[in-house]
Amino acid sequence: QVQLVESGGGLVQAGESLRLSCAASGRFFSIKNMGWYRQAPGKQRELVATSTGGGIANYADSVKGRFTISRDNAKNTVYLQMNSLKPEDTAVYSCNTVIQPSPSLAYQTLWGQGTLVTVSS
């Protein structure tokens, strides 16, 4: 089974930065789209940023200009650089990816366990 493991969350003050990482482990044929979502206390999960297999990035309006998504396909890893953090960025951040287990199998969507980001004022 393929697993996604996030890291990099923590407690920071407003204006500081964090870098989240998500690595896919296990055997699979290829990785397509990768992205980050978040769920704040008492709120629904929302999209933060996505990256297509071709490297095209999309961002939620609330994080444009502050967050940057990137990926290292050789390491099967996606990153989220978060700058100028605000208290409203506080949430559990989860990694999402679409993989193809083998050339003969259908794509599968996977989720990581999440990493907590807390921004104090």
Side-chain angles (χ1 to χ4, degrees):
Q1 289 290 111
V2 179
Q3 300 274 4
L4 301 181
V5 179
E6 299 105 331
S7 63
L11 173 63
V12 298
Q13 294 182 330
E16 296 182 343
S17 300
L18 283 174
R19 189 191 191 198
L20 306 183
S21 299
C22 174
S25 62
R27 291 181 57 83
F28 50 87
F29 177 67
S30 65
I31 294 179
K32 301 303 179 182
N33 298 337
M34 304 187 78
W36 290 94
Y37 294 74
R38 68 185 181 187
Q39 187 168 22
K43 304 294 183 179
Q44 294 183 329
R45 180 185 290 170
E46 64 176 348
L47 183 148
V48 177
T50 60
S51 176
T52 69
I56 304 300
N58 295 284
Y59 299 93
D61 289 340
S62 59
V63 306
K64 285 183 178 178
R66 299 188 298 119
F67 291 11
T68 302
I69 188 171
S70 61
R71 59 194 295 172
D72 185 339
N73 289 332
K75 297 182 178 180
N76 298 318
T77 300
V78 63
Y79 306 94
L80 185 68
Q81 179 66 44
M82 304 184 294
N83 298 328
S84 302
L85 283 163
K86 305 175 181 179
E88 50 263 44
D89 293 319
T90 296
V92 174
Y93 286 72
S94 300
C95 175
N96 169 270
T97 187
V98 177
I99 68 165
Q100 187 175 22
S102 72
S104 62
L105 296 178
Y107 296 118
Q108 296 179 353
T109 299
L110 303 177
W111 289 91
Q113 79 285 355
T115 184
L116 177 62
V117 172
T118 302
V119 184
S120 65
S121 59

